[in-house]
Amino acid sequence: MKNRLLAFPVLAILAACGGEATEQAVTTEEPQDYAAGANAATPTNTAAGTNAAGASADRAAVAALADYYETHFNMGHGSMVAGKFAENGLSWTGNGGMAFGREAIGAALTAQIEATSPTIDLTQDEILLFGDYAVTRGTFSLTGTLDGAAIENTGNYMSVSSRGEDGTWRIEGGVSNFDSEGQPTTPSEAAVMPAGEGAELLADGVGYYVTHMNMGHGSMVAERYTPDAVAMMSGAPPLMGRAAVEGRLNELAEAGVKMEITPWSAMELDADHVTGIGTY
């Protein structure tokens, strides 16, 4: 069975409420040393045949994407940030903003910069390498001014990057959420998405998740997480490890939460891993 790397932004709620956060869950295979702290950016999975020097170079190239994003976003260069996305890249943010395609992402970033003069600080906590793909997770803080009032957002993010035929790494997609309730939100728009591809790759995992959460079986759902899984759920800092995830899922089950999850698109990272995105 393939391991799943899942991200489910709340498109339906975002469109209705204009500011609910997203939820992400990241699963990894090997034990990780979370005590190492932020910016470790150490992959816990590299594709077979990748030597140490190559992995180190790839890791540095992927880490540089976030550094570039932070630098040029803070300089007000929205179109330059968008230039690091793939042509059909996706950006889905905690304030409800969703843009598809490099041009739309650039326009959305430019509008945000013009509206709030924001400054962002990105912390990369982990980079996972899968040959020509990489998954990054981390945290962010963003400050700015909206209508004369100071605003601040903090939260989690996950991105998927790919290496093109020219050897250049670009961002395929990124999602983020807020790590606490009641954060102020900036004006945003959600794009009309084209038809997705590969959602069937997530069907079994999503079906199990929904069925057992709706039956109140939080512990059974948690069993599908690896022992060292990381879950970045809305309104809270990352949950580290299966035990922490199980505790949160049982809280939701006991509260009578019912779920519906709709995968939109997914792709294989390698023979053992899949990444996907959708709504819940």
Side-chain angles (χ1 to χ4, degrees), residues 37-258:
N39 294 315
T42 302
T44 57
N45 181 296
T46 56
T50 303
N51 60 38
S56 178
D58 289 338
R59 185 163 63 253
V62 173
L65 290 172
D67 293 337
Y68 184 97
Y69 189 114
E70 180 181 287
T71 296
H72 287 280
F73 183 89
N74 291 343
M75 294 176 70
H77 302 161
S79 60
M80 291 182 66
V81 174
K84 290 297 183 179
F85 280 77
E87 183 176 355
N88 291 325
L90 173 69
S91 174
W92 223 334
T93 58
N95 69 345
M98 187 262 284
F100 180 80
R102 187 183 296 153
E103 183 177 350
I105 292 171
L109 289 170
T110 298
Q112 180 185 11
I113 290 168
E114 291 177 349
T116 63
S117 300
T119 297
I120 197 168
D121 181 23
L122 298 174
T123 299
Q124 301 175 69
D125 290 326
E126 187 173 28
I127 296 174
L128 297 158
L129 297 178
F130 305 89
D132 289 332
Y133 293 98
V135 176
T136 303
R137 70 169 180 86
T139 59
F140 74 90
S141 63
L142 184 145
T143 58
T145 303
L146 181 63
D147 297 330
I151 59 172
E152 180 176 5
N153 295 135
T154 58
N156 312 293
Y157 78 89
M158 184 175 112
S159 65
V160 178
S161 305
S162 66
R163 175 171 43 203
E165 293 182 357
D166 61 356
T168 301
W169 285 90
R170 294 181 175 87
I171 303 169
E172 290 282 344
V175 293
S176 63
N177 66 12
F178 296 148
D179 60 11
S180 63
E181 303 294 342
Q183 295 193 32
T185 59
T186 56
S188 60
E189 295 183 2
V192 176
M193 296 295 289
E197 298 181 356
E200 67 277 1
L201 294 170
L202 303 177
D204 289 345
V206 167
Y208 182 94
Y209 194 111
V210 170
T211 296
H212 288 284
M213 278 302 298
N214 290 347
M215 293 176 70
H217 302 162
S219 293
M220 290 183 65
V221 176
E223 289 176 0
R224 291 297 181 97
Y225 286 75
T226 59
D228 57 345
V230 181
M232 299 185 295
M233 298 185 180
S234 305
L239 299 170
M240 301 298 188
R242 180 190 289 157
V245 175
E246 181 178 8
R248 177 55 178 157
L249 292 179
N250 281 328
E251 287 178 359
L252 294 174
E254 291 169 4
V257 169
K258 303 297 181 184

